[in-house]
Amino acid sequence: MEEAYKILYRGGSGEITEKKSRFIADLKPVSSEEEALAFIEEIRKKYWDARHHCYVYRIGERSQTVRFSDDGEPAQTAGKPMLDVLAGRDIHDVCAVVTRYFGGTLLGTGGLVRAYSQAVQAGLENCLVVEKRPGVRLSVDTDYSSVGKIQYIAAQTGITALESVYTDRASFTYMVPEEQAEDFEAQLTEATAGRAVLHRSETVYYGLAEGELILFEK
């Protein structure tokens, strides 16, 4: 698996006004170029009477697919500055469209670059970005004498429990960052003198969104 990377998890919108021109930014999570193009077309239809719909999309954990368009604005004054904002924050799997309603005053090259950049920044303020990290599910089965030690180690290392089950024994399922898995297992084995039964499953991607742990399909 690739290393951790940030994605747009929840989209949003933002708007700025520059010399009576309106710049409306809409951002959406996308996982393919087809999704990005469909979103761009959706925004074109929504704001059908606007002069420009400049866009950028950045897809893949290594940004394998990147496209941007100035849509009639002077070259390098819209799409590229929008890309620079997303790349500067290292956000992946995102499509941003900035719609411009012309206010009658020319902004010049520098003014356009600032306006399109600020519009994307305004949109991002209303979005949720999540770090997508590789991790492993670790199942821990133990007798009750070891529960306190296991919970203490998990709390100290900031590892989140997905599930806790208490019957005649205690069972926990943890989501462990891939790079911490071996050390966490060693700590549990030592603390319980080998009494805890550990089982590690396949590596998956996970993230934290507003304090809630989320699992990704891929």
Side-chain angles (χ1 to χ4, degrees), residues 6 11 19 23 34 38 41 45 65 70 78 92 95-96 163 165-166 170 176 185 195 197 201 204:
K6 291 187 289 186
K19 294 182 179 179
F23 294 84
E34 290 74 18
E41 186 59 29
K45 290 179 179 179
T65 304
D70 297 309
H92 304 249
C95 180
E163 185 180 34
V165 178
Y166 299 95
V176 188
E185 290 176 344
R195 292 192 300 274
V197 179
S201 66
V204 297

Side-chain angles (χ1 to χ4, degrees), residues 1-192:
M1 270 191 164
E2 298 289 334
E3 296 181 355
Y5 62 101
K6 291 187 289 186
I7 64 166
L8 190 75
Y9 182 70
R10 186 177 66 223
S13 303
E15 180 176 340
I16 68 165
T17 301
E18 186 68 29
K19 294 182 179 179
K20 297 184 180 180
S21 280
R22 293 176 63 201
F23 294 84
I24 306 166
D26 290 282
L27 294 93
K28 183 178 181 178
V30 292
S31 58
S32 68
E33 192 163 19
E34 290 74 18
E35 286 183 14
L37 295 174
F39 177 60
I40 294 164
E41 186 59 29
E42 175 187 328
I43 297 301
R44 287 185 187 278
K45 290 179 179 179
K46 180 178 179 180
Y47 303 111
W48 59 270
D49 56 341
R51 177 170 291 193
H52 303 284
H53 300 89
C54 304
Y55 66 80
V56 59
Y57 49 90
R58 194 169 187 255
I59 303 169
E61 64 275 9
R62 290 177 282 107
S63 297
Q64 294 95 320
T65 304
V66 176
R67 301 283 188 277
F68 58 85
S69 170
D70 297 309
D71 193 35
E73 295 281 30
Q76 305 292 304
T77 62
K80 181 59 164 60
M82 292 165 62
L83 173 61
D84 289 344
V85 173
L86 298 180
R89 299 195 187 187
D90 199 23
I91 302 171
H92 304 249
D93 293 349
V94 53
C95 180
V97 184
V98 175
T99 299
R100 181 189 182 189
Y101 283 94
F102 184 57
T105 302
L106 297 175
L107 301 183
T109 301
L112 287 172
V113 169
R114 285 191 299 273
Y116 279 100
S117 299
Q118 290 171 4
V120 174
Q121 291 166 356
L124 282 171
E125 290 178 3
N126 299 310
C127 296
L128 179 61
V129 175
V130 170
E131 185 178 52
K132 193 173 177 180
R133 306 181 62 184
V136 297
R137 297 190 206 208
L138 182 67
S139 300
V140 183
D141 182 75
T142 183
D143 56 40
Y144 279 90
S145 65
S146 300
V147 167
K149 296 174 183 177
I150 291 170
Q151 292 176 331
Y152 176 79
I153 293 170
Q156 288 296 107
T157 51
I159 291 174
T160 306
L162 295 175
E163 185 180 34
S164 301
V165 178
Y166 299 95
T167 54
D168 56 325
R169 290 171 64 82
S171 298
F172 305 99
T173 303
Y174 290 103
M175 178 54 62
V176 188
E178 191 175 39
E179 69 275 11
Q180 292 180 242
E182 288 189 12
D183 184 59
F184 186 59
E185 290 176 344
Q187 288 187 64
L188 295 186
T189 298
E190 181 179 355
T192 63

